[in-house]
Amino acid sequence: VVVVAAVGVVAAVLVASCAVVSVEGYYTANVILYNLLNTTLEYHGCHSSVNGSISVLPSNIAPQQVGRFFITTSEKWEDASGICWWKIANAPACDPNTPPAPATSCPYIAWERVVVAGQEDIQWDIETPGHYGIGDVTITKRLGHQSKQYCICSAADEGNCKTMCQDI
């Protein structure tokens, strides 16, 4: 019993020491968007605070298909933010608020990476118009890289969208 407790304490100390990770390199993110609707997601644009940070741009995403974009910073310790947006034909406006500039429609995916004293904090935001469902799954997160998977579902699948997204 004492050995088990000691192992548990060592494991807790290791976990706590890994909780704060310093950033030593560039940041990359692979963002995958599944269109689980029966209509095309029309790509309308991307904007980034850092020139060249969206090295693979998204495009229109046909029904039941997947699109992606790739973010990379060009400098170490670099703060970066941006947004990519699409439009769903005949969908209501973003609800309840308008999308952040320069986006003009929903759905949108926005990100912000802030580095302070070698520590990175990355926030993601996704919004759809009306009652379309959102699935948000972080596939991997390691030092300096993330893979995010998002799904856009119909209003009928709104409650199950995250589960559907995890099952892909």
Side-chain angles (χ1 to χ4, degrees):
V1 175
V2 173
V3 172
V4 172
V7 170
V9 169
V10 170
V13 168
L14 285 174
V15 168
S17 68
C18 292
V20 175
V21 179
S22 65
V23 179
E24 296 182 13
Y26 305 99
Y27 172 72
T28 59
N30 186 40
V31 183
I32 301 165
L33 181 60
Y34 290 92
N35 179 4
L36 302 181
L37 302 172
N38 291 322
T39 187
T40 297
L41 291 175
E42 300 168 8
Y43 170 66
H44 276 234
C46 279
H47 173 75
S48 175
S49 64
V50 181
N51 287 336
S53 69
I54 306 171
S55 56
V56 175
L57 288 170
S59 60
N60 289 348
I61 307 171
Q64 308 302 314
Q65 297 297 312
V66 65
R68 79 181 268 272
F69 60 96
F70 192 81
I71 304 163
T72 185
T73 58
S74 58
E75 300 288 332
K76 292 183 179 183
W77 311 104
E78 188 170 33
D79 292 350
S81 62
I83 188 167
C84 290
W85 64 97
W86 294 260
K87 182 165 179 29
I88 301 171
N90 301 317
C94 294
D95 185 25
N97 302 314
T98 58
T104 57
S105 59
C106 283
Y108 67 79
I109 299 173
W111 64 94
E112 181 175 25
R113 175 191 190 231
V114 177
V115 180
V116 177
Q119 308 300 314
E120 72 177 0
D121 179 41
I122 305 156
Q123 300 295 319
W124 293 88
D125 185 28
I126 181 170
E127 183 66 47
T128 59
H131 293 283
Y132 287 87
I134 299 170
D136 175 353
V137 181
T138 297
I139 302 170
T140 60
K141 171 65 172 98
R142 64 180 187 274
L143 185 62
H145 178 77
Q146 265 188 312
S147 290
K148 295 289 288 180
Q149 173 175 302
Y150 292 103
C151 298
I152 305 297
C153 302
S154 68
D157 293 324
E158 181 180 14
N160 297 321
C161 194
K162 184 167 185 149
T163 301
M164 292 167 61
C165 204
Q166 290 171 332
D167 291 343
I168 293 177

